[in-house]
Amino acid sequence: MTSERKTAEATKGYFGTFGGSYVPEQLQPRLDELEAAFESAMADELFEREFTRLLKEYVGRPSALTYCANISRDYGGGRLFLKREDLNHTGAHKINNTIGQALLAKRMGKKELIAETGAGMHGTATATVAALMGMRCIIYMGAVDVQRQAPNVARMKALGAEVVSVTHGQQTLKEAVDAALDAYIARPDAFYLLGSVVGPHPFPTMVREFQSVIGREAREQFLEREGKLPGHVVACVGGGSNAIGIFSAFLEDADVGLIGVEPAGRGLDTNEHAATLVKGKPGIIHGFRTYVLTDENGEPSPVYSISAGLDYPGVGPEHAHLMESGRVTYVSATDDEAVDAFRIMCRNEGIIPALESSHAVAEALKMLPALSKDETVLVNLSGRGDKDLDTVLPLLGVE
Ligand SMILES: Cc1ncc(COP(=O)(O)O)c(C=O)c1O
């Protein structure tokens, strides 16, 4: 092997020093096969055409750009806009990625999809595309999340998926990923449909590609409506797929501020949060190098957020790079701030946001008063909050 090829291979799948593939030896050939299939699909105009057709006819894209007139009037300051991923079929951005990966699975001749899920939105989106494409579907979900996101468990079952409740460790998203990776290794014919820009190469690159439609649409819609780009783009960060999806179209626009919002749970000074970039350090988790929240033994630490889709002790490797390069700023919002933002979005705009997305709304509400009238904030409203009503209504004192 020439040293040039070695260098090219060593840097493949890396964002700065983050990313890569740190997996058991028997898994690497399957990831190589996946990468080759992805690259060939990307070069195939028919694949692109079918992906775009399904996004339009099945998902309902383009999703709307909504101006929040009431909040903008009451808070200030700057003007607030939402990119409405909550209006997609199945109610979140997750469907964009599952359509892309399921088409890839079909192209590879696969008949079984496995996936992890936290909030159940990715599980529901995976069960949906499995039904659409006639594939078997197994979803791994932490037992705690099975309880707190029950409406989505019912949806997955209605769609014909098997939901496996994972009962080890904290019984949330990290354990669901552990179980799905184990199943992927044990089932050589299955396709692992990963739900965020995490995991070993090529997943972060592939999921980014399938979610980049959010940013392309938002950029075009904003330019058409306002005649200029947004001043600030804000998105919540769990694994980081909705954030990368919208940020990707603005990375080269130095005047557009990009802000990722992590879950501060019960506070950054407690151990009950999942603010990986804000409080973690570089390490390896689930087969890739990124920032990780670790305990005193260097193991991924227990994490917590009111929002099942955000409580993960790692984060997409591109986010780690974007933080270190200074292009994106990462902040956090607490449970209380997210619940308050949820209430304000419901009562003032008639939109019920997912608790995950409410973290991004909370940051926008902090920003608006300090901005001038001609400044704008675009929030990626990654999903709808029907699934969260059992959690939130008691906190709002609603019987
Ligand atoms: C509505 C919604 N938003 C955001 C997320 C977080 O995922 P990501 O950071 O990959 O966008 C989830 C995860 O389940 C979700 O359901």
Side-chain angles (χ1 to χ4, degrees), residues 91-94 117-122 149 152 173 195-197 207 211 236-243 307-310 319 354-357 381-384 387:
H93 66 298
K94 298 287 183 186
T117 197
M121 297 310 267
H122 174 60
Q149 305 280 230
N152 275 341
L173 183 54
S196 192
V197 284
V207 178
Q211 291 292 4
C236 67
V237 178
S241 67
N242 86 91
S307 140
L310 300 182
H319 286 292
L355 268 176
E356 290 79 12
S357 325
L381 202 81
S382 53
R384 69 171 88 118
K387 68 185 178 62

Side-chain angles (χ1 to χ4, degrees), residues 54 58 99 106 126-135:
L54 285 170
Y58 190 72
I99 294 267
K106 197 168 144 191
T126 305
T128 298
V129 294
L132 178 68
M133 301 197 192
M135 295 181 193

Side-chain angles (χ1 to χ4, degrees), residues 174-196:
K174 177 192 164 288
E175 290 75 23
V177 179
D178 291 341
L181 277 172
D182 285 349
Y184 184 42
I185 292 169
R187 302 169 89 89
D189 293 328
F191 184 98
Y192 183 13
L193 207 165
L194 226 175
S196 192

